[in-house]
């Protein structure tokens, strides 16, 4: 039986022209999720947003990195692998077409994992595939998510 969970986010934006002669609007806005701090968001700098704020592209990549790690830790716990450290420096490639539309065409995760047992390195590396299969966010994407993992003790 499938379980369904509902997630909610409220977006607030107020019209602010960059200057009176400008035809562009400010891209900065706020997202509120009940019980959590307000998230200040803008467009990416390349799209005339505030570079000091998170943008949707940052947040999508962050979601993938975070979800993969949590899925990975889950499958490691199922396989009695003690994970001591986990880090990642992920990259997402966005392709923008001449008409202004665009899409992510690939994401590359570079997880670096440190485990306690040297006999489990191969299994620990293999479990990234299983983690990707379980990852809610990766399962929701229409682009490939690649993993170039390393593991050490």
């Amino acid at each position: 039986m499938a379980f369904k969970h509902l997630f909610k986010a409220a977006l607030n934006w107020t019209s602010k022209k960059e200057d009176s002669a400008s035809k562009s609007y400010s891209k900065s806005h706020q997202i509120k999720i009940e019980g959590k701090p307000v998230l200040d968001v803008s467009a990416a700098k390349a799209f005339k947003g505030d570079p000091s704020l998170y943008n949707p592209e940052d947040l999508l990549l962050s979601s993938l990195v975070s979800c993969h790690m949590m899925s990975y830790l889950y499958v490691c716990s199922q396989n009695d692998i003690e994970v001591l450290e986990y880090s990642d420096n992920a990259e997402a490639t966005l392709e923008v077409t001449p008409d202004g539309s665009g899409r992510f065409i690939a994401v590359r995760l570079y997880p670096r994992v440190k485990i306690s047992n040297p006999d489990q390195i191969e299994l620990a590396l293999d479990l990234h595939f299983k983690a990707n299969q379980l990852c809610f966010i990766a399962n929701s994407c229409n682009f490939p998510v690649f993993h170039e993992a390393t593991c050490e003790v």
Side-chain angles (χ1 to χ4, degrees), residues 45-62:
K45 182 180 179 183
F47 307 113
K48 300 182 178 161
D50 182 339
S52 70
L53 300 178
Y54 293 106
N55 60 64
E57 296 82 8
D58 291 334
L59 298 173
L60 181 92
L61 180 57
S62 298

Side-chain angles (χ1 to χ4, degrees), residues 46-112:
F47 307 113
K48 300 182 178 161
D50 182 339
S52 70
L53 300 178
Y54 293 106
N55 60 64
E57 296 82 8
D58 291 334
L59 298 173
L60 181 92
L61 180 57
S62 298
S63 295
L64 268 167
V65 170
S66 181
C67 191
H68 180 80
M69 183 205 66
M70 288 185 279
S71 298
Y72 182 76
L73 294 175
Y74 171 72
V75 296
C76 283
S77 69
Q78 287 186 317
N79 286 273
D80 297 319
I81 294 177
E82 181 183 16
V83 178
L84 304 174
E85 294 177 18
Y86 185 106
S87 63
D88 199 332
N89 291 299
E91 300 175 343
T93 304
L94 177 71
E95 181 178 76
V96 179
T97 61
D99 70 0
S101 67
R103 63 187 288 277
F104 280 104
I105 58 171
V107 165
R108 292 195 180 285
L109 303 180
Y110 299 95
R112 294 182 50 91

Side-chain angles (χ1 to χ4, degrees), residues 12-31:
N12 291 311
W13 175 85
T14 303
S15 178
K16 291 186 274 188
K17 296 271 185 156
E18 295 293 329
D19 61 56
S20 59
S22 174
K23 291 184 179 183
S24 74
Y25 290 100
S26 167
K27 309 289 190 303
S28 298
H29 57 281
Q30 292 185 324
I31 296 177

Side-chain angles (χ1 to χ4, degrees), residues 32-51:
K32 295 179 183 176
I33 298 171
E34 188 175 332
K36 298 178 182 175
V38 171
L39 188 59
D40 292 311
V41 180
S42 188
K45 182 180 179 183
F47 307 113
K48 300 182 178 161
D50 182 339

